[in-house]
Amino acid sequence: MIIKGKELSVSIKDALKVRVSVLNDQYGRTPNLVVILVGDDPGSVSYVTGKAKAATEVGIRNTTIRREATITESELLELVDELNNDDDVDGILVQLPLPKHIDENKVIAAISPEKDVDAFHPMNVAKLWLKQPCILPCTPKGIIKLLHFAGVDIAGKEAVVIGRSNIVGQPVAKLLLDANATVTVAHSKTKNLAEVARRADILVVAVGRERFVTADMIKPGAVVIDVGVNRDSRNGKLCGDVDFEEAQNVAAAITPVPGGVGPMTITCLMENTVEVFVNRMNKK
Ligand code: GUN
């Protein structure tokens, strides 16, 4: 089975569109998302364009503020502060990565936790790890939704996450743990990675290398979630971290790239924007 993230994301966006319209009747305004894009990395430009398009589709007001890669850290912090203090702005997203001369951690920490639609702020990360109610990071949240959509009962399963980034690997491991999976986080220093991966009933791969996971690393009947977004060196097309052609013959279910995790990340960002909006409205 191919897990069609695109299909699920369309149905969630359809429902969100109705919700946004109802919220507009209730509060007299729609959620407002501001995305900051520094520089012109083609990958980041493409992600940000996708986010803006999805926001417009569901009726979320959105602005992309573009700044040159030469912006100073203090100028960027000042911009974030302005948006924090703008009562008409509900969600703030700073597209990563930032240029090397800017401290990403400083910028993330400067975003008001109430407006942090990525859930990257230390306060929101802490809440996730302490299992307190909070905004969930978009890609991990999307992965759990994909597993539910595919009818996977997570409780009691062996889950292996390859990759330990702050954005995907670590938070998805925590969400799988909260869903009662037995979780292993593998990474570049893991010994016998193929053997570890083959234990997985649920294999999540977030490495950023094409064809990193081959069929021999997958247990027959496993569910494979491919978070990778790479360019295939053979043909220049988008591809994931998993050798899809081989893997689909071994796995019971697998997400494609494109059309798997990617659209769910964007859709969860829309959900988060609505969630922060509602939280802000209810605080007034
Ligand atoms: N860069 C890659 N993924 C993400 C994401 O989910 N959010 C932000 N802000 N930047 C990213």
Side-chain angles (χ1 to χ4, degrees):
M1 180 179 70
I2 294 172
I3 306 172
K4 296 194 175 95
K6 183 78 197 296
E7 207 174 280
L8 176 58
S9 79
V10 167
S11 71
I12 295 174
K13 280 189 291 185
D14 284 346
L16 263 184
K17 191 174 171 178
V18 175
R19 177 126 196 266
V20 167
S21 149
V22 170
L23 289 169
N24 188 30
D25 293 341
Q26 189 176 349
Y27 296 111
R29 63 187 278 269
T30 52
N32 185 12
L33 172 67
V34 176
V35 176
I36 302 175
L37 172 59
V38 178
D40 51 12
D41 170 71
S44 292
V45 172
S46 149
Y47 287 136
V48 164
T49 307
K51 290 168 186 179
K53 182 171 163 273
T56 303
E57 271 171 28
V58 303
I60 292 173
R61 287 178 292 151
N62 61 95
T63 313
T64 300
I65 301 181
R66 291 193 69 160
R67 290 288 183 264
E68 302 278 335
T70 52
I71 188 173
T72 65
E73 185 180 277
S74 60
E75 283 167 340
L76 184 54
L77 291 170
E78 213 168 288
L79 174 58
V80 168
D81 198 48
E82 258 174 52
L83 298 169
N84 284 340
N85 293 316
D86 185 339
D87 202 37
D88 191 41
V89 172
D90 302 292
I92 303 170
L93 181 149
V94 179
Q95 186 64 28
L96 304 177
L98 290 169
K100 282 199 181 67
H101 65 277
I102 298 175
D103 183 345
E104 275 182 7
N105 286 333
K106 238 186 193 172
V107 175
I108 290 167
I111 298 169
S112 163
E114 288 79 31
K115 298 188 177 188
D116 172 33
V117 284
D118 267 325
F120 290 169
H121 189 283
M123 186 66 80
N124 289 321
V125 175
K127 284 182 173 173
L128 169 70
W129 286 90
L130 296 170
K131 225 172 165 180
Q132 293 175 13
C134 64
I135 285 283
L136 298 176
C138 304
T139 301
K141 181 178 179 180
I143 289 170
I144 299 297
K145 283 181 189 282
L146 281 170
L147 290 170
H148 289 151
F149 177 60
V152 178
D153 183 12
I154 301 171
K157 296 275 159 56
E158 288 280 345
V160 175
V161 178
I162 310 182
R164 53 176 157 180
S165 69
N166 290 341
I167 294 183
V168 183
Q170 295 196 54
V172 80
K174 173 60 175 160
L175 292 184
L176 288 164
L177 185 60
D178 289 349
N180 297 315
T182 302
V183 183
T184 303
V185 182
H187 46 77
S188 54
K189 298 286 194 295
T190 296
K191 293 208 172 77
N192 305 322
L193 178 64
E195 202 176 291
V196 172
R198 256 196 317 270
R199 291 208 298 257
D201 302 310
I202 299 167
L203 182 63
V204 179
V205 191
V207 174
R209 282 166 60 180
E210 59 173 316
R211 286 184 292 283
F212 183 82
V213 167
T214 44
D216 60 295
M217 297 167 73
I218 300 168
K219 172 156 120 181
V223 176
V224 178
I225 305 291
D226 188 350
V227 187
V229 184
N230 309 298
R231 285 278 162 200
D232 191 326
S233 55
R234 297 176 303 193
N235 55 24
K237 289 187 182 162
L238 275 189
C239 70
D241 293 344
V242 178
D243 189 330
F244 183 85
E245 291 308 317
E246 291 187 355
Q248 64 177 337
N249 299 318
V250 184
I254 181 167
T255 59
V257 178
V261 173
M264 287 304 296
T265 296
I266 293 183
T267 297
C268 288
L269 174 68
M270 299 307 120
E271 272 196 1
N272 283 359
T273 304
V274 171
E275 190 175 329
V276 296
F277 168 77
V278 170
N279 288 345
R280 293 187 73 241
M281 289 301 109
N282 290 340
K283 263 195 170 177
K284 287 190 176 166

